[in-house]
């Protein structure tokens, strides 16, 4: 049986497998945008002033951690992409 969960941001129902796939998709988009800039995980963590360091970035990129909307917006700003792109909804570049 697939367990039903609810999104903490919007309250919509989803399954664990949907959540895991979404976090992997977000992470792969972050990794792709970061690598396109020639940036390392430690560099991204430093630019985000993230006290958890590059391990946090690594965990996001590999779907182990789902970033908050604030963190996602900060990552998008540093990488020069729209946050909606990271969520899989819009083109990659900011207008």
């Amino acid at each position: 049986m697939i367990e039903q969960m609810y999104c903490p941001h919007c309250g919509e129902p989803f399954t664990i497998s949907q959540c895991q796939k979404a976090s992997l998709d977000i992470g792969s988009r972050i990794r792709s945008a970061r690598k396109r800039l020639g940036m390392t995980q430690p560099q991204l963590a430093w630019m985000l002033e993230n006290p958890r360091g590059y391990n946090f970035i690594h965990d996001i990129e590999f779907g182990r951690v789902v970033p908050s909307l604030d963190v996602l917006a900060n990552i998008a700003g540093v990488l020069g992409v729209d946050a909606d792109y990271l969520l899989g909804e819009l083109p990659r570049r900011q207008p």
Side-chain angles (χ1 to χ4, degrees):
M1 179 176 160
I2 297 177
E3 183 179 345
Q4 187 76 41
M5 299 175 65
Y6 295 88
C7 175
H9 301 291
C10 69
E12 292 293 317
F14 62 90
T15 64
I16 291 174
S17 61
Q18 289 170 325
C19 181
Q20 289 169 338
K21 182 182 180 329
S23 65
L24 283 170
D25 290 347
I26 291 168
S28 70
R29 287 186 190 95
I30 291 170
R31 184 173 49 254
S32 175
R34 176 181 60 75
K35 286 186 171 194
R36 214 175 284 114
L37 294 174
M39 188 182 296
T40 65
Q41 290 175 344
Q43 288 170 327
L44 178 56
W46 182 81
M47 291 180 79
L48 292 169
E49 299 177 0
N50 189 302
R52 293 173 276 188
Y54 73 91
N55 289 329
F56 180 63
I57 303 302
H58 179 271
D59 288 345
I60 291 172
E61 289 184 0
F62 286 90
R64 294 184 187 114
V65 172
V66 178
S68 69
L69 294 178
D70 288 339
V71 170
L72 191 69
N74 290 340
I75 291 171
V78 168
L79 297 177
V81 298
D82 194 290
D84 286 335
Y85 161 73
L86 297 178
L87 293 170
E89 299 183 14
L90 285 178
R92 183 171 38 114
R93 297 278 177 216
Q94 289 180 340

